[in-house]
Amino acid sequence: MKVIELINPSKILRVYCYTPISKPLNGSIPRSNTSHFLRLCPVEYTYKNGKEEKIAKTETYLIKGIRGAVRHQVMKLCHSHGLEVCHTSDKETDKHGNQLLPKGFHLIGSCKNTDECIIHQVFGSKRSTSLISVYADPITSINHATARISQNLQNVQIATEHRMVQSYDGNSIQDFGERYFSGEFYFEIDVTQCEKSQLGMLIEAIMNLHKLGGGFNSGYGHIRIQKFQLLYRSIARNPEWDGDGFIVKETVKEKVRKKEVLTSLKSWKEYLKESSKCN
Amino acid sequence: MQLILHGKFITPLITKRTTFKIKGCNTKFSQPRRRIYSKIHSTKPMFPYALICYLGEFELSYSYSSKNRANKKIHELLRIKSIGRYSSEGLGKIQWIKGELHPSSTRSENKKQRNSRRVRIRKGLPHNLPTKIQQLIRYALLHDFVHTPRHKSKIYIEPLFDDGEFITLLRQHHDNSNNVLIQTFQKYDRIAASITRKIRSPRTTRYNWYSTQNIDFIELCRNIKEVVPNIWKLYKYIYESKALTCISEALEYGHTSLRNHLLIIANLIVQDFQQNRIEVNLCSE
């Protein structure tokens, strides 16, 4: 039967990182005092027990908040270069009169109709779509060394940290738990629609990325960037016909692009020069 | 002929319902897993957003006339990577699994008739209604426009119908009667009242809390009198009437509307008739 390539090639920025302990949590489950990750569907996998093959299930979780972390890093980067860009807040002050908008930023989306800033172009706002999309493969914790999984999963250490707020005579009065993960992981940014200067800005921000999830001041959520790649990825979803129905088979081809990283960093520097001249 | 595509949401899709549409095709989750996605604004002192979302396997159905159309639709659908809100944060990611092509006859045989108790308010009444059911619906739609020992007409004025016997029956709709018509009506009236009367909020006039302008009751009464002989026209008039939405069904419950009350009774009767639940005595009498 005819094989059809369905999806156009996309440009992916893949970032490999390491975290000793990180807590990008979703919230607590009802009737529980523990904050959890966003739980996804359980996945089946096979492993070898001697000569015998066994099937087991594992829980998978989503790493939240990567896009927010990248955005805040980009904001910091632009601010350090003297660019006035969009802040995440849409209000200047709160109801008590406290200032929400720091100096060197403008309200989110206020530049849309006049002189659109680079952050608004890339990340968008309420009624303008973002150029990029961030995604990380689900994480799981599998102890079997011989495990074979059909889906794309990232194996990390996942556990719960029990903490105490108040104690009396050695016994806890108030306690709570927080799930954390630790280990090497990767995430991907789809930059197909980005221009070179925008891509350069994202690359420079990612090289300085050091924060993910809550509790940064207490020592949690520190990230070390190990490696990043710019990939050209083409996905083909082939409906293989079999009688009345068909099975969708996915094949992925990837090519690493080295030169484009350097050219995009150059164009980002040129963009900075031009904007400094204008100011 | 029907195309059925099976897929899976790897990351949750933000939706309140388990049935939705992808490119105009009806889709439903086969085994939905409910999650709550929270979103924090670190720069603002505010509570996090909590959004209901679902994930898991789903089934998409698309009816087609030719194989070319089916092929085009397969191409269009298999191109999709993710759908829904916050797809730039990695939500709503789709994995397609397999597809099936069903000839229409086998699919329609397998299709089950839904007999849900949920009331659906129709735009118009169905055409194939027996005379007894028509009479019951007419009785239900007009019962609040007459003076009774318990209350006056809910539009203050009583429209004068030609049928004298019917008016006397309407005036007895609160009484203990042996008449099957009144008994069946009372059952539906109570169900409809229990559906609409939720929060007690007393009023001194017939205007409910949603009313903004004065109603010309004389004109309203005249209009109703004109459409009384034809129940389809009467139903349509009540359905489209803005004045009746501003009149409360009960003085104790100021948030209700007379329009909704009347339409719910009519639709309960139609629904029970279509699902063969209505009492046979009424039809046979």
Side-chain angles (χ1 to χ4, degrees):
Chain A
M1 201 66 197
K2 220 178 180 182
V3 174
I4 316 146
E5 289 223 346
L6 293 160
I7 289 175
N8 298 325
S10 50
K11 225 189 284 179
I12 303 285
L13 187 68
R14 185 185 275 182
V15 186
Y16 293 88
C17 0
Y18 168 78
T19 176
I21 182 164
S22 198
K23 294 174 178 176
L25 300 170
N26 188 45
S28 59
I29 293 169
R31 298 185 296 280
S32 145
N33 62 352
T34 309
S35 287
H36 287 256
F37 294 113
L38 183 63
R39 194 158 50 90
L40 305 177
C41 287
V43 174
E44 276 191 359
Y45 68 97
T46 54
Y47 67 96
K48 277 189 176 180
N49 187 16
K51 285 182 181 177
E52 207 180 345
E53 272 217 347
K54 283 192 170 182
I55 300 168
K57 262 189 181 181
T58 177
E59 289 289 343
T60 57
Y61 305 95
L62 185 75
I63 307 172
K64 278 180 65 183
I66 300 172
R67 192 175 178 278
V70 173
R71 192 200 160 107
H72 278 265
Q73 193 57 46
V74 171
M75 271 164 57
K76 213 183 249 182
L77 179 76
C78 290
H79 190 59
S80 68
H81 285 301
L83 293 175
E84 196 186 296
V85 287
C86 279
H87 195 255
T88 51
S89 172
D90 57 353
K91 282 177 185 171
E92 283 188 22
T93 51
D94 65 356
K95 63 180 179 182
H96 304 294
N98 300 324
Q99 196 72 23
L100 293 173
L101 191 70
K103 277 185 182 176
F105 292 99
H106 52 250
L107 296 176
I108 186 166
S110 61
C111 61
K112 192 180 170 183
N113 297 325
T114 53
D115 187 17
E116 198 176 8
C117 70
I118 193 162
I119 285 198
H120 194 269
Q121 285 168 19
V122 177
F123 290 92
S125 63
K126 214 171 190 179
R127 279 180 187 82
S128 54
T129 49
S130 161
L131 292 182
I132 59 162
S133 69
V134 183
Y135 176 71
D137 280 333
I139 51 168
T140 186
S141 180
I142 299 170
N143 295 326
H144 299 112
T146 55
R148 274 189 298 168
I149 312 154
S150 57
Q151 279 197 14
N152 288 341
L153 291 177
Q154 305 190 60
N155 197 9
V156 289
Q157 176 66 34
I158 299 172
T160 311
E161 185 198 12
H162 294 286
R163 291 175 72 180
M164 240 189 302
V165 179
Q166 275 185 325
S167 66
Y168 178 74
D169 204 14
N171 299 320
S172 68
I173 300 167
Q174 233 178 25
D175 61 337
F176 66 96
E178 280 177 336
R179 299 278 280 170
Y180 68 86
F181 82 94
S182 161
E184 290 176 355
F185 70 101
Y186 63 85
F187 64 88
E188 292 170 347
I189 307 172
D190 190 338
V191 288
T192 319
Q193 295 176 51
C194 286
E195 289 172 14
K196 282 193 174 177
S197 57
Q198 294 164 353
L199 178 58
M201 178 189 72
L202 282 172
I203 289 169
E204 200 183 330
I206 277 162
M207 286 195 290
N208 298 316
L209 189 69
H210 61 284
K211 196 176 173 183
L212 177 70
F216 184 75
N217 295 343
S218 317
Y220 305 103
H222 285 259
I223 278 182
R224 203 183 305 143
I225 304 293
Q226 293 178 329
K227 192 174 87 176
F228 69 88
Q229 290 174 320
L230 187 68
L231 305 165
Y232 267 48
R233 179 186 288 166
S234 57
I235 305 169
R237 285 179 183 160
N238 308 324
E240 285 193 359
W241 292 88
D242 176 33
D244 288 340
F246 58 87
I247 300 161
V248 184
K249 285 205 170 179
E250 209 173 76
T251 47
V252 183
K253 286 177 186 172
E254 284 177 352
K255 276 183 184 176
V256 182
R257 297 286 165 136
K258 292 174 191 171
K259 277 186 183 175
E260 205 171 330
V261 176
L262 298 173
T263 51
S264 51
L265 279 170
K266 259 186 188 177
S267 60
W268 163 237
K269 276 175 187 172
E270 280 167 17
Y271 175 86
L272 285 173
K273 270 183 189 176
E274 277 177 26
S275 57
S276 63
K277 274 179 193 173
C278 292
N279 293 332
Chain B
M1 288 180 279
Q2 210 156 28
L3 161 75
I4 294 167
L5 266 174
H6 296 271
K8 192 181 174 183
F9 274 103
I10 302 171
T11 50
L13 169 75
I14 292 175
T15 170
K16 281 183 182 174
R17 292 178 180 176
T18 50
T19 54
F20 53 96
K21 286 197 174 184
I22 301 177
K23 297 263 179 194
C25 305
N26 291 328
T27 316
K28 63 173 181 181
F29 280 101
S30 44
Q31 285 177 339
R33 290 165 190 272
R34 196 170 184 270
R35 300 281 184 268
I36 286 171
Y37 183 77
S38 72
K39 196 161 165 55
I40 303 162
H41 272 256
S42 57
T43 49
K44 277 191 220 168
M46 62 181 286
F47 287 108
Y49 296 137
L51 301 154
I52 295 165
C53 45
Y54 288 92
L55 76 159
E57 290 187 6
F58 65 88
E59 194 183 287
L60 177 145
S61 58
Y62 170 70
S63 51
Y64 62 92
S65 51
S66 68
K67 274 211 166 183
N68 272 342
R69 276 198 168 190
N71 269 334
K72 269 189 181 177
K73 202 71 190 176
I74 292 166
H75 280 232
E76 194 185 349
L77 291 167
L78 294 193
R79 273 176 208 278
I80 301 168
K81 288 180 191 172
S82 57
I83 59 158
R85 282 174 74 187
Y86 298 121
S87 55
S88 65
E89 290 177 19
L91 295 194
K93 211 171 168 61
I94 294 178
Q95 184 189 0
W96 296 104
I97 302 166
K98 61 176 181 178
E100 292 160 28
L101 295 169
H102 284 278
S104 60
S105 56
T106 53
R107 186 68 185 164
S108 57
E109 278 168 18
N110 296 337
K111 210 174 178 181
K112 285 178 185 175
Q113 265 199 340
R114 279 186 186 176
N115 287 343
S116 71
R117 294 289 294 175
R118 205 170 176 177
V119 196
R120 187 169 66 89
I121 292 181
R122 290 163 175 79
K123 277 187 181 177
L125 290 173
H127 293 289
N128 51 349
L129 291 172
T131 47
K132 290 281 176 187
I133 299 289
Q134 283 183 37
Q135 199 184 356
L136 179 61
I137 292 171
R138 185 182 284 116
Y139 189 90
L141 292 175
L142 294 171
H143 78 277
D144 274 338
F145 301 136
V146 292
H147 300 313
T148 61
R150 199 178 282 188
H151 64 75
K152 279 198 167 185
S153 165
K154 286 181 185 174
I155 54 168
Y156 294 108
I157 309 154
E158 193 180 61
L160 294 166
F161 312 126
D162 299 332
D163 196 348
E165 278 182 29
F166 194 65
I167 293 175
T168 50
L169 278 175
L170 281 170
R171 281 175 185 159
Q172 293 168 8
H173 76 259
H174 285 300
D175 303 348
N176 286 332
S177 167
N178 290 328
N179 193 322
V180 185
L181 180 74
I182 294 170
Q183 282 177 358
T184 8
F185 160 74
Q186 281 173 349
K187 182 187 123 188
Y188 288 108
D189 190 23
R190 278 172 207 143
I191 296 169
S194 71
I195 290 168
T196 51
R197 291 179 188 182
K198 291 288 177 194
I199 304 157
R200 198 174 162 275
S201 51
R203 294 282 289 173
T204 48
T205 61
R206 278 285 166 196
Y207 287 100
N208 62 16
W209 292 103
Y210 306 113
S211 60
T212 50
Q213 56 192 18
N214 291 339
I215 301 165
D216 188 353
F217 285 102
I218 300 165
E219 198 189 332
L220 181 69
C221 178
R222 202 186 302 133
N223 290 340
I224 289 167
K225 200 188 164 187
E226 277 174 19
V227 288
V228 162
N230 190 334
I231 58 154
W232 287 275
K233 279 185 182 172
L234 178 64
Y235 182 90
K236 194 87 180 168
Y237 179 77
I238 292 168
Y239 185 84
E240 287 170 356
S241 169
K242 283 181 183 173
L244 290 174
T245 52
C246 301
I247 299 168
S248 61
E249 182 258 316
L251 286 173
E252 289 291 299
Y253 296 86
H255 285 95
T256 57
S257 83
L258 187 60
R259 172 191 171 271
N260 280 3
H261 178 67
L262 298 176
L263 293 182
I264 286 169
I265 303 174
N267 282 295
L268 278 169
I269 294 164
V270 171
Q271 189 175 306
D272 278 6
F273 168 70
Q274 285 180 343
Q275 294 175 4
N276 300 324
R277 283 209 202 103
I278 202 152
E279 285 171 21
V280 188
N281 297 347
L282 181 76
C283 298
S284 61
E285 202 185 27

